[in-house]
């Protein structure tokens, strides 16, 4: 196997691995080793970098909505489903 093929396989593996950990990554809840791995992937993957930025923007807007807690939870659940569906499309 050539180094180029190995990098491509590694990239795809990290891409799939990253999706289920984006929330923890953004929240700073990943173990350091996993955080470094995802940060390295973010630097070379425009799709994941864009998704991370979109999630960060969305999270920054939520407090300004001033919705009752129960409404915020419903919106968060709906948004999470939409994000999961988008991630599935990219995978």
């Amino acid at each position: 196997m050539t180094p180029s093929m190995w990098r491509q396989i590694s990239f795809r593996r990290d891409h799939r691995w990253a999706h289920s950990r984006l929330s923890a990554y953004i929240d700073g809840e990943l173990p350091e080793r996993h955080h470094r791995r995802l940060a390295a992937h973010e630097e070379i993957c425009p799709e994941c970098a864009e998704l991370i930025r979109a999630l960060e923007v969305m999270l920054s807007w939520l407090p300004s909505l001033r919705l009752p807690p129960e409404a915020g939870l419903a919106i968060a659940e709906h948004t999470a489903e939409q994000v999961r569906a988008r991630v599935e499309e990219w995978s």
Side-chain angles (χ1 to χ4, degrees):
M1 184 176 304
T2 67
S4 175
M5 290 172 65
W6 177 249
R7 277 191 297 276
Q8 191 174 36
I9 290 169
S10 180
F11 174 84
R12 286 189 203 139
R13 183 191 65 226
D14 281 352
H15 189 71
R16 285 188 305 271
W17 175 87
H19 285 177
S20 64
R21 292 164 177 84
L22 292 178
S23 180
Y25 176 70
I26 291 168
D27 292 340
E29 297 173 347
L30 284 179
E32 183 60 31
R33 188 175 110 235
H34 291 169
H35 181 87
R36 285 192 312 268
R37 180 179 174 186
L38 210 152
H41 178 72
E42 178 186 7
E43 288 192 20
I44 62 170
C45 180
E47 287 181 23
C48 286
E50 181 180 346
L51 183 56
I52 289 167
R53 294 301 153 257
L55 290 170
E56 289 173 337
V57 167
M58 182 186 68
L59 288 172
S60 72
W61 289 344
L62 286 177
S64 67
L65 296 177
R66 299 182 186 180
L67 298 170
E70 59 278 1
L73 180 59
I75 290 170
E77 288 173 347
H78 177 73
T79 303
E81 286 301 318
Q82 295 294 318
V83 169
R84 282 188 201 103
R86 185 80 182 262
V87 167
E88 292 288 324
E89 290 174 10
W90 291 349
S91 295

